[in-house]
Amino acid sequence: MPENVRALLVILLASFAASHVARPALSGLIDSGRLIRWRNAWMLMSALAFLSPTIWIFFILASLYLRYLSRQEPATPALYVLLLCAIPPLGFVIPGFGIINYLVQIDYLRLLSLIVLLPAALQLRRESDRLAFGQNWPDRLLIGYLALSVGLQLRDSTVTDTLRQGVYSILDVFLPYYVMSRGLQKFEQFRETLSAFVYAASMIALIAGFEFFKHWLLYKSISANWDIPASNFYLDRGSSLRAVAAMISPIALGYVMVVALGLLVAISPAIPDTRTRRRIWLMLALGLLFPLSRGPWVGAGLMLVVLLATGPNAVKRLFMLAVLGAASIPLLSFLPGGEKILNLLPFIGHIDQQNVDYRHDLIEKSMIVIRRNLLFGSVNFLQTPEMQSLIQGQGIIDLVNTYIGIALGYGLVGVSLFAGFFASIVLPLLRRNDTDTDAATALLRRSLLAVLLAILLMIFTVSPIGVISYLYWTVAGIGVACLNLGRATERAPHHGVAQNSYV
């Protein structure tokens, strides 16, 4: 049996098993029949990827299927986050047919934006009860950041390349943010969207578990079947394989699991059965362990601290957490295999210390380059002697720090706009909002705050590759929608748009 077929069978079985565990937990939030349709959509999209003989055929079939799903699924935000991590972000270049070198580079994530989000954004634009774009500080700072990033392309590229960058900015940044920030108006819609992501993450977690224990990266066979370079590689930490699933790297998988755990916090009280709630918590927690990525573990720790610090009895709970953490370290050293676990932990372990050293060197040498072009960065920063000294064995300079990458390319102005955008969402979420009239809304706000702060910490250790950037723009959009929760309800009766309108 071909490897791609064997891998697909494993993924389908794991998805079915994970759905069987997660569905009872989420059935109080989402109709059981709809959860089954979500599972089937995930599995069919996977089947299309593994069985299509070429990437072109997959994109054609996937486009048709996504259009069908968009008409069947009433909630575009839920559909988008459900399928966001289903397929590796593989892609190709659309040729220019002799007129220009090429039109655009398209991959699975951009296909989702084009087929699912773009029609939804156009519909939202026509609905008069939606907040017009540019009416709040996150919108304005995002406009500034995108305008700067596109405009600076003209320093060392053609007008065609600059237009191409503008298209990428719309597909990669604007559409995920806009559809989430304007498409979610009612509390039930937030629960739908968060449930869809948690549901997808539960399937990812079980697939990652299989990879971890069987030492087999299931999604590599898609690249081999399509005869294109693989986007994921076999990486060990200690004697264990770091799971990847459909992500581009283990750290991206851990990042996705941290976000899923944070969003699960917001919907967890609506899961009445304790046993099913514990099962889905355990599944996602294990999904965070399988990539063996320390950055996401630190992000999860920060997320937990933020949740405790913003909740009831904050001082007592934080003290208990500190005592538990301090006691667990010496305890592990006495347990069988405990020394191995300690060596994997951030700040304590010594396995793959070279990764920590490389990140330190990256910051140190990048700061020298940044100071030379402080305000607007440089287009040829990779050619500087300092950056050339960071070339790794694979012949690449790995910019494993999102903030450093932005500062090198767009300078202090660019990184200030980027950080200011997130600050304009985080700070209002941090303040107690008068519209939080019930515990569920307050918990939603706290959860999004914790997830965003965890993301902002985790991207200090990874570049915005693959799903990573799409997910932080998406969560930022959900955060803006949360800030507007209640205000949209007040505006809606004064317009002629149907109150149950939901893209």
Side-chain angles (χ1 to χ4, degrees), residues 55-262:
I55 192 171
W56 280 88
I57 292 176
F58 167 71
F59 270 60
I60 292 170
L61 295 177
S63 298
L64 295 173
Y65 184 53
L66 287 172
R67 283 306 300 150
Y68 168 78
L69 287 176
S70 297
R71 296 188 182 97
Q72 298 298 312
E73 171 59 46
T76 297
L79 177 63
Y80 176 72
V81 299
L82 173 74
L83 298 177
L84 187 61
C85 304
I87 306 298
L90 302 172
F92 58 91
V93 171
I94 299 178
F97 306 104
I99 302 173
I100 55 177
N101 290 334
Y102 68 98
L103 290 177
V104 290
Q105 292 180 335
I106 189 79
D107 59 21
Y108 172 70
L109 297 172
R110 286 177 178 162
L111 182 71
L112 276 180
S113 293
L114 189 63
I115 304 299
V116 177
L117 296 184
L118 181 58
L122 294 175
Q123 181 179 331
L124 286 168
R125 179 76 172 77
R126 293 192 294 266
E127 295 185 2
S128 57
D129 66 328
R130 311 288 174 167
L131 182 67
F133 188 74
Q135 297 300 304
N136 55 36
W137 273 110
D139 292 357
R140 296 168 192 147
L141 290 165
L142 184 64
I143 292 171
Y145 176 73
L146 295 181
L148 179 72
S149 63
V150 174
L152 290 180
Q153 282 290 117
L154 286 170
R155 291 179 297 185
D156 192 39
S157 64
T158 64
V159 174
T160 304
D161 285 334
T162 303
L163 293 173
R164 198 176 286 125
Q165 181 62 37
V167 172
Y168 297 155
S169 295
I170 292 171
L171 295 177
D172 302 348
V173 181
F174 175 77
L175 286 176
Y177 168 77
Y178 180 76
V179 173
M180 295 298 158
S181 63
R182 268 56 179 186
L184 302 174
Q185 287 189 312
K186 299 178 182 177
F187 187 77
E188 294 75 16
Q189 296 168 351
F190 284 88
R191 280 186 169 175
E192 278 183 331
T193 303
L194 272 54
S195 297
F197 190 80
V198 168
Y199 193 51
S202 67
M203 293 186 277
I204 296 169
L206 208 56
I207 292 168
F210 181 90
E211 291 186 342
F212 179 82
F213 288 110
K214 289 296 185 179
H215 211 278
W216 178 18
L217 297 183
L218 296 167
Y219 288 86
K220 280 186 71 69
S221 60
I222 297 179
S223 304
N225 192 39
W226 291 345
D227 195 26
I228 60 176
S231 60
N232 48 15
F233 304 94
Y234 280 85
L235 296 173
D236 290 339
R237 178 151 284 169
S239 59
S240 302
L241 175 70
R242 302 178 66 188
V244 177
M247 293 344 110
I248 205 168
S249 68
I251 195 170
L253 173 59
Y255 170 93
V256 168
M257 288 297 129
V258 171
V259 174
L261 284 164

Side-chain angles (χ1 to χ4, degrees), residues 420-444:
F421 166 78
F422 285 99
S424 68
I425 303 170
V426 166
L427 292 178
L429 285 173
L430 187 59
R431 294 192 294 267
R432 292 194 175 275
N433 198 323
D434 293 337
T435 61
D436 292 345
T437 56
D438 56 59
T441 305
L443 183 59
L444 173 64

Side-chain angles (χ1 to χ4, degrees), residues 27 43 50 68 86 105 108 120-121 128 186 204 285 300 328 351 392 409 447 453 481 490 496:
S27 59
M43 294 171 68
F50 278 90
Y68 168 78
Q105 292 180 335
Y108 172 70
S128 57
K186 299 178 182 177
I204 296 169
S328 61
I351 294 179
Q392 297 180 298
S447 301
L453 288 174
E490 295 171 4

Side-chain angles (χ1 to χ4, degrees), residues 342-360:
L342 287 173
N343 273 330
L344 291 171
L345 294 178
F347 311 117
I348 298 174
H350 303 291
I351 294 179
D352 289 343
Q353 180 63 31
Q354 69 275 11
N355 292 345
V356 178
D357 295 337
Y358 177 84
R359 284 173 165 83
H360 180 269

Side-chain angles (χ1 to χ4, degrees), residues 354-371:
Q354 69 275 11
N355 292 345
V356 178
D357 295 337
Y358 177 84
R359 284 173 165 83
H360 180 269
D361 290 344
L362 173 65
I363 295 173
E364 194 174 69
K365 294 179 179 179
S366 294
M367 293 307 295
I368 299 172
V369 179
I370 290 168
R371 281 195 290 267

